[in-house]
Amino acid sequence: MDRALRHVVITGACGGLGRAMASAALARGARVALVGLEREKLDSLAATAPDRCAVYTPDVSDSEAMQAMARDCMARFGVPDAVIANAGVAGGFDTAEASDLAVFRRMLEINLLGAAVTFQPFLKPMRERGQGVLAGIASIAGRRGMPGNGAYCASKGGLIRYLQSLRAELRGSGIAVCTVSPGYLRTQLTAGNRFAMPGLMEPEVAARLILQALAEGREQLVLPRRVGWLSNLLDLLPDAWHDAVLLKQPRKPRAGEAGATAIPGLGASPVGGATRAVSEPPSEPASR
C-alpha cells in the first residue's frame, strides 16, 4: 500500500542524509518541517520552497523544545504523514578514558533518546487519525559491537530495539514503524573514517530509497542490501574470528582527534534558551 507523504518532519536536516531526504521530499511536493541546529543551512534549504517549509532549531533531546516544535508544526501543516528521526552523531570511544563517558552520554541522548523525544508529541495525533509513519535512522553498526566504537554501536543497537518495541505496540493502529539501517554514506560523519567502508553510498541515492520505503509502508530497510548480506555473513563467524577481522581496521577518531566530527552539546546539559524557540510564524497561515 502506497502512503502519500504530503507532510514530513525530518530531524538532522542540516546536511548529509537529512538534507538529502528533505530535498527529495520537497521534490515530491511535500511540506517539510526542517529540524536541526544550524539555522543558516536550514534557511537556505527552506528558501527553495518557502511556502512548504518550516524551520526549527531545538535540541532533539530536549522534550519541551521538541513538543513546542511539534505544536507549531501541526498548527501550520496538520498532523504529519511521516516523522523521520534522523538526527545523529558519531565518534570513537575508549572506556579507559574518563572524558569519553561524556561522549557516550551525549551520543545516547541524541541517537537514542532523541528518537523517542521526536516521536512522542506526534504519536497521539497520528493514532487518532489512524495513519502515519515513524522512521528511525539506525545503522548496520547497531547489529554488532565494533572495537573503538562502543558508544555509537550501543546507541544504534538500542535504537533498533526501541523501534522494534514501538512497532509491536502500534500493530493494527495504522501507524507504520520503519527501521532504516544504512551502511556507510558519504557524509560528514564518515569523512574522518580511516577504515574500509564497503558499499559507500551517496546520501541522495539513500534518501530516494528511504522515502520510497516509507511510502510503501516497509518496516525494515538496509542500505545497500549487499552490506546487510555481508553483515549477516560475518555474524556466522565465531566471536573471536569476527573480532580479529575488525581489530585489523583503524579505529574511528575520538572527540578531539584529527578527523573527528563535532558532537553538539558535548559536556553541557540539554540546550535551552535560543534552541527552545521555534521559527517565526509565516506571514500567512499554511493550508493543510
Side-chain angles (χ1 to χ4, degrees), residues 55-144:
V55 171
Y56 304 93
T57 57
D59 182 318
V60 295
S61 66
D62 185 332
S63 60
E64 291 184 14
M66 291 296 283
Q67 288 164 8
M69 176 277 292
R71 286 193 297 270
D72 186 82
C73 173
M74 288 188 283
R76 294 182 184 216
F77 298 145
V79 179
D81 299 301
V83 177
I84 306 175
N86 168 71
V89 293
F93 176 76
D94 187 343
T95 303
E97 299 295 332
S99 61
D100 278 15
L101 296 176
V103 173
F104 203 139
R105 180 179 296 109
R106 190 62 182 142
M107 211 170 291
L108 290 174
E109 287 175 347
I110 296 172
N111 295 1
L112 179 52
L113 176 62
V117 171
T118 297
F119 295 152
Q120 183 274 320
F122 296 107
L123 189 51
K124 285 184 179 178
M126 279 186 167
R127 199 178 247 151
E128 289 170 2
R129 187 180 62 181
Q131 184 180 346
V133 182
L134 302 174
I137 307 300
S139 171
I140 287 289
R143 295 182 169 193
R144 177 83 188 202

Side-chain angles (χ1 to χ4, degrees), residues 112-265:
L112 179 52
L113 176 62
V117 171
T118 297
F119 295 152
Q120 183 274 320
F122 296 107
L123 189 51
K124 285 184 179 178
M126 279 186 167
R127 199 178 247 151
E128 289 170 2
R129 187 180 62 181
Q131 184 180 346
V133 182
L134 302 174
I137 307 300
S139 171
I140 287 289
R143 295 182 169 193
R144 177 83 188 202
M146 300 170 63
N149 211 17
Y152 183 74
C153 292
S155 69
K156 293 301 186 178
L159 179 57
I160 289 171
R161 291 294 174 252
Y162 163 65
L163 293 170
Q164 191 176 50
S165 300
L166 187 60
R167 184 179 302 116
E169 293 167 15
L170 294 175
R171 288 282 181 203
S173 69
I175 303 173
V177 177
C178 183
T179 302
V180 181
S181 298
Y184 296 107
L185 303 179
R186 197 185 302 276
T187 69
Q188 189 61 35
L189 290 185
T190 61
N193 289 355
R194 301 185 291 257
F195 46 80
M197 294 187 286
L200 184 65
M201 178 179 275
E202 297 298 332
E204 293 77 15
V205 175
R208 290 193 296 270
L209 293 172
I210 291 169
L211 291 183
Q212 185 58 41
L214 300 190
E216 293 172 356
R218 291 180 57 181
E219 297 183 349
Q220 302 281 346
L221 180 66
V222 176
L223 297 171
R225 255 187 288 184
R226 63 182 181 277
V227 171
W229 298 334
L230 176 60
S231 175
N232 291 338
L233 286 173
L234 288 173
D235 280 345
L236 297 176
L237 296 175
D239 284 352
W241 293 13
H242 192 288
D243 294 344
V245 171
L246 294 178
L247 283 168
K248 293 177 182 178
Q249 297 291 323
R251 295 195 177 190
K252 191 170 184 68
R254 294 169 50 236
E257 293 181 344
T261 54
I263 298 178

Side-chain angles (χ1 to χ4, degrees), residues 6-8 26 29-33 49-56 71-79 279-288:
R6 296 178 297 267
H7 173 201
V8 182
L26 289 171
R31 298 182 292 274
V32 182
D51 58 328
R52 292 189 284 117
C53 287
V55 171
Y56 304 93
R71 286 193 297 270
D72 186 82
C73 173
M74 288 188 283
R76 294 182 184 216
F77 298 145
V79 179
S279 61
E280 299 79 14
S283 55
E284 296 181 6
S287 59
R288 173 78 175 101

